[in-house]
Structure formats: C-alpha cells, structure tokens
Amino acid sequence: MAPEVEIYQQNKIIPKEISKEAKIALSYYPELSKIKIEFRFKEKIRKSFMQAQPKFTNLFHGKDNRSYYVFISSKVRIEDEDFTVDDIPSDVLIGWLGHELGHIVDYRERSAFGLIFFGLRYVTSENHIINAEKMADTYAVEHGMGDYILKTKNFILNHSKLSESYKNRIKRLYLSPEEIVVLVNEFDTAK
Ligand SMILES: [Zn+2]
C-alpha cells in the first residue's frame, strides 16, 4: 500500500508521518519554495538514514526546472534492532531534514555535469564526502537551523542503540558538535 502523502507549496510531496517536521525544516529555506522536492521512504539506503539527490529524469532541464528527492530509510537495522522515524524525536528529525535541504541548496548551484561528477566523487573519495557534508551543515546553520543540527548530531553520537561503527563513520566524515557551535557563533556575530 502506498503511504499517504501531503502536497505542500504545490511542489513538495511529503509522507504524512514526517509532514510536520518537513514543513518546519522547509520554512527555513524560502528559496526552495519554488523547487520540486519529493520526500520518499525507501527500504534501505546505503550507509545512511537520509539522502538527498537530484532526479535524473530532469537533470538536464535547467537549474530552475530540476527536481530532487530526499530519501528516508524506512528502517535502519542496527544490532538486530529496527530503528524507524518513530524512534526519532521530532526536533532531531527536523535537523536531519534541514541537513538534507542544505545538500539541495548546494546542488542547485551546480551544473548537470557538475552534479554527475559530484555523485561519482561522493562514492570514490572520502575527502569529497567530508566537504559535501560540511557544506550541507554550513548551509543549514546559515539558514538559522543551528540548534536543530546540534540536536541531531548529539542524538546520533549519544544514542546507545546506534552501532559504534556508525558513530565512528559520523565522527570521521561529519562536523562535530563543537565545530557546529563555532559555525553558529560565526553566523551569529556576522548578523
Ligand atoms: Zn549529508
């Protein structure tokens, strides 16, 4: 059975389970109001809980006509326990979605070929992943989502149910809570 979805801003498709959180995250990104984004549950995402990516079918239709997916893993199996969106506090989910929207802001600036190379390098280069993830967090903080991003980060790092290998991956590839605080302060003083 297909999940119930809500249409928002005439161009966002959002599953009902996360529509409240997605709308709050979107409210921090007014420049995405005209952009088509489909939030969709997916059985399994390689090594992550959410993933933003351009739709390949209209990648070459020009920057303003492209659309994007935010995939959300319907189940994350960690040490024999299933972990779903229902186990995640609302604010943490908002931060997670805000991070993915940060990726979309980043993708919007890139050409179609640029995005293809970006995707290839994401698979092949760990340094490239670090830069891409830093960029997404930076956009989210810049858009005023610093507190949410911090909650998400702390949730992942302090959550006992998550495996050590997953936490280590997060520590290696993503900004630390301390680095996020530095970013938040930088943007606060720049205002
Ligand atoms: Zn990311």
PDB file of all heavy atoms in Angstrom, residues 18-19 22 30 34 46 68 73 86-87 107 122 124-125 127 138 148 166 168 190:
ATOM      1  N   ILE A  18       5.968  12.405   8.307  1.00  0.00           N
ATOM      2  CA  ILE A  18       7.008  13.402   8.580  1.00  0.00           C
ATOM      3  C   ILE A  18       6.615  14.787   8.085  1.00  0.00           C
ATOM      4  O   ILE A  18       7.453  15.684   8.012  1.00  0.00           O
ATOM      5  CB  ILE A  18       8.357  13.002   7.932  1.00  0.00           C
ATOM      6  CG1 ILE A  18       8.206  12.852   6.416  1.00  0.00           C
ATOM      7  CG2 ILE A  18       8.922  11.733   8.544  1.00  0.00           C
ATOM      8  CD1 ILE A  18       9.517  13.022   5.677  1.00  0.00           C
ATOM      9  N   SER A  19       5.330  14.976   7.762  1.00  0.00           N
ATOM     10  CA  SER A  19       4.975  16.248   7.118  1.00  0.00           C
ATOM     11  C   SER A  19       5.163  17.445   8.055  1.00  0.00           C
ATOM     12  O   SER A  19       5.600  18.511   7.624  1.00  0.00           O
ATOM     13  CB  SER A  19       3.559  16.196   6.542  1.00  0.00           C
ATOM     14  OG  SER A  19       2.623  16.214   7.566  1.00  0.00           O
ATOM     15  N   ALA A  22       8.964  18.114   8.108  1.00  0.00           N
ATOM     16  CA  ALA A  22       9.461  18.590   6.809  1.00  0.00           C
ATOM     17  C   ALA A  22       9.043  20.038   6.565  1.00  0.00           C
ATOM     18  O   ALA A  22       9.824  20.856   6.072  1.00  0.00           O
ATOM     19  CB  ALA A  22       8.948  17.684   5.685  1.00  0.00           C
ATOM     20  N   PRO A  30      13.340  29.563   2.398  1.00  0.00           N
ATOM     21  CA  PRO A  30      12.347  30.162   1.485  1.00  0.00           C
ATOM     22  C   PRO A  30      12.746  30.048   0.012  1.00  0.00           C
ATOM     23  O   PRO A  30      11.882  29.965  -0.855  1.00  0.00           O
ATOM     24  CB  PRO A  30      12.285  31.621   1.943  1.00  0.00           C
ATOM     25  CG  PRO A  30      13.438  31.834   2.866  1.00  0.00           C
ATOM     26  CD  PRO A  30      13.810  30.500   3.410  1.00  0.00           C
ATOM     27  N   LYS A  34       9.978  27.287  -4.590  1.00  0.00           N
ATOM     28  CA  LYS A  34       9.597  27.038  -5.982  1.00  0.00           C
ATOM     29  C   LYS A  34      10.190  25.737  -6.543  1.00  0.00           C
ATOM     30  O   LYS A  34      10.002  25.412  -7.702  1.00  0.00           O
ATOM     31  CB  LYS A  34      10.066  28.203  -6.868  1.00  0.00           C
ATOM     32  CG  LYS A  34       9.424  29.540  -6.543  1.00  0.00           C
ATOM     33  CD  LYS A  34       8.243  29.782  -7.457  1.00  0.00           C
ATOM     34  CE  LYS A  34       7.631  31.160  -7.339  1.00  0.00           C
ATOM     35  NZ  LYS A  34       7.453  31.691  -5.998  1.00  0.00           N
ATOM     36  N   ARG A  46      22.090   3.084   1.434  1.00  0.00           N
ATOM     37  CA  ARG A  46      23.440   2.662   1.750  1.00  0.00           C
ATOM     38  C   ARG A  46      24.069   3.561   2.814  1.00  0.00           C
ATOM     39  O   ARG A  46      24.237   4.760   2.603  1.00  0.00           O
ATOM     40  CB  ARG A  46      24.290   2.719   0.472  1.00  0.00           C
ATOM     41  CG  ARG A  46      25.233   1.548   0.309  1.00  0.00           C
ATOM     42  CD  ARG A  46      25.877   1.645  -1.058  1.00  0.00           C
ATOM     43  NE  ARG A  46      26.956   2.630  -1.041  1.00  0.00           N
ATOM     44  CZ  ARG A  46      28.217   2.323  -0.826  1.00  0.00           C
ATOM     45  NH1 ARG A  46      28.589   1.100  -0.650  1.00  0.00           N
ATOM     46  NH2 ARG A  46      29.152   3.261  -0.820  1.00  0.00           N
ATOM     47  N   TYR A  68      14.162  17.218  -7.018  1.00  0.00           N
ATOM     48  CA  TYR A  68      15.045  16.477  -6.102  1.00  0.00           C
ATOM     49  C   TYR A  68      14.264  15.473  -5.260  1.00  0.00           C
ATOM     50  O   TYR A  68      13.069  15.650  -5.020  1.00  0.00           O
ATOM     51  CB  TYR A  68      15.750  17.465  -5.158  1.00  0.00           C
ATOM     52  CG  TYR A  68      16.586  18.482  -5.890  1.00  0.00           C
ATOM     53  CD1 TYR A  68      16.020  19.684  -6.311  1.00  0.00           C
ATOM     54  CD2 TYR A  68      17.919  18.236  -6.190  1.00  0.00           C
ATOM     55  CE1 TYR A  68      16.783  20.620  -7.015  1.00  0.00           C
ATOM     56  CE2 TYR A  68      18.678  19.163  -6.883  1.00  0.00           C
ATOM     57  CZ  TYR A  68      18.102  20.350  -7.296  1.00  0.00           C
ATOM     58  OH  TYR A  68      18.846  21.261  -7.995  1.00  0.00           O
ATOM     59  N   SER A  73      15.210   6.432   4.988  1.00  0.00           N
ATOM     60  CA  SER A  73      15.213   4.993   5.180  1.00  0.00           C
ATOM     61  C   SER A  73      14.031   4.593   6.060  1.00  0.00           C
ATOM     62  O   SER A  73      13.828   5.154   7.128  1.00  0.00           O
ATOM     63  CB  SER A  73      16.532   4.603   5.839  1.00  0.00           C
ATOM     64  OG  SER A  73      16.645   3.224   5.849  1.00  0.00           O
ATOM     65  N   ASP A  86       9.787   6.704  13.769  1.00  0.00           N
ATOM     66  CA  ASP A  86       9.002   6.826  15.004  1.00  0.00           C
ATOM     67  C   ASP A  86       9.878   6.864  16.249  1.00  0.00           C
ATOM     68  O   ASP A  86       9.458   7.339  17.300  1.00  0.00           O
ATOM     69  CB  ASP A  86       8.025   5.655  15.141  1.00  0.00           C
ATOM     70  CG  ASP A  86       7.057   5.608  13.978  1.00  0.00           C
ATOM     71  OD1 ASP A  86       6.757   6.689  13.434  1.00  0.00           O
ATOM     72  OD2 ASP A  86       6.632   4.507  13.602  1.00  0.00           O
ATOM     73  N   ASP A  87      11.107   6.328  16.143  1.00  0.00           N
ATOM     74  CA  ASP A  87      12.008   6.306  17.303  1.00  0.00           C
ATOM     75  C   ASP A  87      12.793   7.605  17.446  1.00  0.00           C
ATOM     76  O   ASP A  87      13.589   7.752  18.368  1.00  0.00           O
ATOM     77  CB  ASP A  87      13.025   5.154  17.170  1.00  0.00           C
ATOM     78  CG  ASP A  87      12.319   3.819  17.014  1.00  0.00           C
ATOM     79  OD1 ASP A  87      11.395   3.575  17.801  1.00  0.00           O
ATOM     80  OD2 ASP A  87      12.681   3.051  16.108  1.00  0.00           O
ATOM     81  N   TYR A 107      23.317  21.606  -4.299  1.00  0.00           N
ATOM     82  CA  TYR A 107      23.124  21.012  -5.637  1.00  0.00           C
ATOM     83  C   TYR A 107      22.595  22.033  -6.628  1.00  0.00           C
ATOM     84  O   TYR A 107      22.900  21.983  -7.813  1.00  0.00           O
ATOM     85  CB  TYR A 107      22.121  19.849  -5.596  1.00  0.00           C
ATOM     86  CG  TYR A 107      22.517  18.656  -4.765  1.00  0.00           C
ATOM     87  CD1 TYR A 107      21.555  17.748  -4.314  1.00  0.00           C
ATOM     88  CD2 TYR A 107      23.848  18.409  -4.442  1.00  0.00           C
ATOM     89  CE1 TYR A 107      21.898  16.646  -3.550  1.00  0.00           C
ATOM     90  CE2 TYR A 107      24.199  17.306  -3.670  1.00  0.00           C
ATOM     91  CZ  TYR A 107      23.214  16.432  -3.230  1.00  0.00           C
ATOM     92  OH  TYR A 107      23.558  15.339  -2.478  1.00  0.00           O
ATOM     93  N   TYR A 122      31.515  11.409  -4.730  1.00  0.00           N
ATOM     94  CA  TYR A 122      30.976  11.066  -3.416  1.00  0.00           C
ATOM     95  C   TYR A 122      31.199   9.581  -3.121  1.00  0.00           C
ATOM     96  O   TYR A 122      31.442   9.179  -2.002  1.00  0.00           O
ATOM     97  CB  TYR A 122      29.470  11.391  -3.339  1.00  0.00           C
ATOM     98  CG  TYR A 122      28.967  11.477  -1.925  1.00  0.00           C
ATOM     99  CD1 TYR A 122      28.924  12.683  -1.263  1.00  0.00           C
ATOM    100  CD2 TYR A 122      28.576  10.328  -1.245  1.00  0.00           C
ATOM    101  CE1 TYR A 122      28.493  12.777   0.051  1.00  0.00           C
ATOM    102  CE2 TYR A 122      28.144  10.402   0.067  1.00  0.00           C
ATOM    103  CZ  TYR A 122      28.102  11.628   0.712  1.00  0.00           C
ATOM    104  OH  TYR A 122      27.690  11.705   2.004  1.00  0.00           O
ATOM    105  N   THR A 124      33.655   7.760  -4.441  1.00  0.00           N
ATOM    106  CA  THR A 124      35.052   7.342  -4.515  1.00  0.00           C
ATOM    107  C   THR A 124      35.995   8.058  -3.548  1.00  0.00           C
ATOM    108  O   THR A 124      37.074   7.563  -3.272  1.00  0.00           O
ATOM    109  CB  THR A 124      35.604   7.558  -5.948  1.00  0.00           C
ATOM    110  OG1 THR A 124      35.395   8.931  -6.300  1.00  0.00           O
ATOM    111  CG2 THR A 124      34.895   6.672  -6.944  1.00  0.00           C
ATOM    112  N   SER A 125      35.618   9.229  -3.052  1.00  0.00           N
ATOM    113  CA  SER A 125      36.582   9.981  -2.266  1.00  0.00           C
ATOM    114  C   SER A 125      36.032  10.383  -0.899  1.00  0.00           C
ATOM    115  O   SER A 125      35.003  11.055  -0.803  1.00  0.00           O
ATOM    116  CB  SER A 125      37.005  11.242  -3.040  1.00  0.00           C
ATOM    117  OG  SER A 125      37.421  12.254  -2.156  1.00  0.00           O
ATOM    118  N   ASN A 127      37.460  12.415   1.228  1.00  0.00           N
ATOM    119  CA  ASN A 127      37.611  13.858   1.401  1.00  0.00           C
ATOM    120  C   ASN A 127      36.447  14.623   0.789  1.00  0.00           C
ATOM    121  O   ASN A 127      36.001  15.637   1.309  1.00  0.00           O
ATOM    122  CB  ASN A 127      38.901  14.354   0.725  1.00  0.00           C
ATOM    123  CG  ASN A 127      40.069  14.258   1.680  1.00  0.00           C
ATOM    124  OD1 ASN A 127      39.883  14.281   2.896  1.00  0.00           O
ATOM    125  ND2 ASN A 127      41.264  14.136   1.131  1.00  0.00           N
ATOM    126  N   THR A 138      26.793  23.605   6.941  1.00  0.00           N
ATOM    127  CA  THR A 138      27.026  25.048   6.914  1.00  0.00           C
ATOM    128  C   THR A 138      25.803  25.785   6.371  1.00  0.00           C
ATOM    129  O   THR A 138      25.370  26.786   6.935  1.00  0.00           O
ATOM    130  CB  THR A 138      28.276  25.390   6.072  1.00  0.00           C
ATOM    131  OG1 THR A 138      29.373  24.635   6.577  1.00  0.00           O
ATOM    132  CG2 THR A 138      28.609  26.867   6.143  1.00  0.00           C
ATOM    133  N   TYR A 148      18.830  22.908  15.762  1.00  0.00           N
ATOM    134  CA  TYR A 148      18.322  21.605  15.307  1.00  0.00           C
ATOM    135  C   TYR A 148      19.479  20.696  14.874  1.00  0.00           C
ATOM    136  O   TYR A 148      19.494  19.505  15.184  1.00  0.00           O
ATOM    137  CB  TYR A 148      17.369  21.784  14.125  1.00  0.00           C
ATOM    138  CG  TYR A 148      16.017  22.368  14.481  1.00  0.00           C
ATOM    139  CD1 TYR A 148      15.613  23.604  13.993  1.00  0.00           C
ATOM    140  CD2 TYR A 148      15.144  21.647  15.288  1.00  0.00           C
ATOM    141  CE1 TYR A 148      14.363  24.122  14.297  1.00  0.00           C
ATOM    142  CE2 TYR A 148      13.891  22.157  15.600  1.00  0.00           C
ATOM    143  CZ  TYR A 148      13.513  23.395  15.102  1.00  0.00           C
ATOM    144  OH  TYR A 148      12.265  23.899  15.410  1.00  0.00           O
ATOM    145  N   TYR A 166      28.831   2.918  13.092  1.00  0.00           N
ATOM    146  CA  TYR A 166      28.063   4.017  12.511  1.00  0.00           C
ATOM    147  C   TYR A 166      28.490   5.346  13.144  1.00  0.00           C
ATOM    148  O   TYR A 166      28.716   6.337  12.452  1.00  0.00           O
ATOM    149  CB  TYR A 166      26.561   3.793  12.714  1.00  0.00           C
ATOM    150  CG  TYR A 166      25.704   4.870  12.085  1.00  0.00           C
ATOM    151  CD1 TYR A 166      25.542   4.934  10.704  1.00  0.00           C
ATOM    152  CD2 TYR A 166      25.096   5.848  12.858  1.00  0.00           C
ATOM    153  CE1 TYR A 166      24.780   5.937  10.112  1.00  0.00           C
ATOM    154  CE2 TYR A 166      24.327   6.844  12.284  1.00  0.00           C
ATOM    155  CZ  TYR A 166      24.173   6.882  10.912  1.00  0.00           C
ATOM    156  OH  TYR A 166      23.419   7.883  10.336  1.00  0.00           O
ATOM    157  N   ASN A 168      31.327   6.041  14.529  1.00  0.00           N
ATOM    158  CA  ASN A 168      32.681   6.392  14.084  1.00  0.00           C
ATOM    159  C   ASN A 168      32.680   6.985  12.687  1.00  0.00           C
ATOM    160  O   ASN A 168      33.437   7.897  12.382  1.00  0.00           O
ATOM    161  CB  ASN A 168      33.597   5.161  14.131  1.00  0.00           C
ATOM    162  CG  ASN A 168      33.969   4.825  15.563  1.00  0.00           C
ATOM    163  OD1 ASN A 168      33.937   5.690  16.440  1.00  0.00           O
ATOM    164  ND2 ASN A 168      34.297   3.563  15.805  1.00  0.00           N
ATOM    165  N   ALA A 190      28.105  37.541  12.601  1.00  0.00           N
ATOM    166  CA  ALA A 190      28.097  38.159  11.279  1.00  0.00           C
ATOM    167  C   ALA A 190      26.775  38.898  11.008  1.00  0.00           C
ATOM    168  O   ALA A 190      26.712  39.743  10.128  1.00  0.00           O
ATOM    169  CB  ALA A 190      28.312  37.087  10.207  1.00  0.00           C
TER     170      ALA A 190
END
